[in-house]
Amino acid sequence: MNHYQISTSHQTPNDLAVRCPKCQSNHVRRQNVGRRTGAAIGTVGGAAAGVSGAIAGAETGAVVGAIAGPAGAALGGLAGAILGGIFGASTGCVAGAKVGEVFDEKLLDNQQCITCGHEFSS
Ligand SMILES: [Zn+2]
């Protein structure tokens, strides 16, 4: 019986129970394609949505700032755009990763056997 050393640190205990249906190796890793893709799409989409939302916020900030003075208008608009982008990106990243996780679990061949290269879903 072959004994496989677990050399990768990113595996969770749950993965250790997964075996390749083709060669029965327990040397299997999660690909998390959907999670990574979702996080990337969510980050970009969230940042875009955050910035576009921040434009409205920046205008509000500019109006408020304009009352306080020209420097306030610049600061209010800039802060609104930056915060909107950061907030949108982080929110989108988390949301996208969550959506991607569902795809990983339900739809994609998320597991790959390191021994024989066979891809399968968990
Ligand atoms: Zn295999």
Side-chain angles (χ1 to χ4, degrees):
M1 181 179 171
N2 292 329
H3 179 73
Y4 293 96
Q5 295 286 331
I6 304 302
S7 56
T8 48
S9 59
H10 63 272
Q11 286 179 319
T12 61
N14 190 39
D15 290 328
L16 301 179
V18 178
R19 285 181 178 273
C20 174
K22 200 172 179 183
C23 70
Q24 302 304 313
S25 168
N26 64 354
H27 211 169
V28 167
R29 67 183 177 91
R30 288 179 69 118
Q31 302 199 90
N32 290 328
V33 174
R35 191 178 194 283
R36 284 198 297 265
T37 306
I41 293 170
T43 302
V44 175
V51 168
S52 65
I55 292 171
E59 287 171 354
T60 307
V63 170
V64 173
I67 298 168
L75 283 173
L78 188 65
I82 290 171
L83 288 173
I86 292 171
F87 182 75
S90 59
T91 306
C93 180
V94 172
K98 284 291 170 195
V99 172
E101 262 178 355
V102 174
F103 276 85
D104 279 336
E105 297 298 328
K106 306 295 182 189
L107 299 175
L108 300 174
D109 290 339
N110 190 39
Q111 310 284 350
Q112 184 177 34
C113 174
I114 295 168
T115 304
C116 76
H118 182 59
E119 294 182 358
F120 56 98
S121 57
S122 51

